[in-house]
Amino acid sequence: MPADYNGTWVMEKNDNFDGYMKALDIDFATRKIAAHLTQTKEIIQNGNEFKTKTLSTFRNYLVDFTVGVEFEEQTKTLDSRTVQTLVSWDGDKLVCVQKGEKNNRGWKHWIEGDKLYLELTCEDQVCIQIFKKKN
C-alpha cells in the first residue's frame, strides 16, 4: 500500500526556490513576490488518483493526475509551458518527470512523520520544500 498523502500541508521551509524559478526563466518581479509566500498544499488521494491544490495569496496551481498515466500539463500559473508529465511510485515516493523544453524537470514527494517533502528540479537547480501536516 502506498503512502497516504491526504491532507492539508503548510509550508515550513523553501530552500533555493529562487534558483529553481530562474531555471524556469521566471521574471525577476514574480520571483521576488513568490520567494516571500507561504504555500499550502491540499491533497486528496484515492489510491493512485490525486487531486492537488497549491495555494498562496499570489497564485494557485491545481493539477490532478493518476499515477502511471502520462498526461499533458499546462503550467499556466507557473511558467506558462506545456509539458508531458508522468508520475510514478518509487516505494512510497511520488516521482514526476516533466518532458518539455527544459531539461531535468520534475519533482519528488515523500512523507516522513508529519512532514511532506517536495524536491523540485529544473536544469541544474534543486529546490527543497518542507510542509507540516495541518491538524
Side-chain angles (χ1 to χ4, degrees):
M1 183 74 173
D4 180 4
Y5 285 79
N6 282 297
T8 300
W9 307 84
V10 179
M11 180 180 281
E12 287 188 332
K13 192 171 185 178
N14 194 4
D15 286 342
N16 195 36
F17 194 45
D18 190 61
Y20 171 74
M21 291 188 292
K22 280 182 187 176
L24 289 171
D25 301 322
I26 294 174
D27 68 88
F28 177 81
T30 302
R31 289 196 330 266
K32 291 305 157 201
I33 293 167
H36 295 288
L37 298 175
T38 298
Q39 299 174 17
T40 300
K41 286 193 168 291
E42 294 177 0
I43 301 174
I44 299 171
Q45 176 188 1
N46 184 6
N48 283 331
E49 295 179 3
F50 285 78
K51 294 183 183 301
T52 68
K53 296 178 186 177
T54 303
L55 308 170
S56 75
T57 55
F58 183 56
R59 290 187 181 157
N60 298 328
Y61 188 70
L62 311 166
V63 66
D64 300 342
F65 61 88
T66 301
V67 175
V69 177
E70 187 173 57
F71 64 99
E72 186 174 277
E73 182 177 0
Q74 307 289 328
T75 63
K76 289 180 201 168
T77 61
L78 299 173
D79 63 333
S80 298
R81 289 190 169 93
T82 301
V83 294
Q84 285 302 119
T85 300
L86 177 62
V87 181
S88 305
W89 287 112
D90 180 7
D92 281 346
K93 283 186 182 182
L94 286 171
V95 178
C96 173
V97 174
Q98 296 171 317
K99 295 177 187 169
E101 62 185 78
K102 292 290 185 176
N103 293 320
N104 191 37
R105 183 172 180 171
W107 51 261
K108 294 178 186 172
H109 259 310
W110 68 95
I111 296 172
E112 293 178 13
D114 65 347
K115 308 275 182 168
L116 173 70
Y117 291 79
L118 174 58
E119 177 184 282
L120 299 160
T121 58
C122 182
E123 303 287 341
D124 63 346
Q125 296 296 309
V126 178
C127 170
I128 301 289
Q129 298 178 340
I130 302 174
F131 298 80
K132 184 171 175 72
K133 193 158 195 177
K134 188 175 176 181
N135 295 332

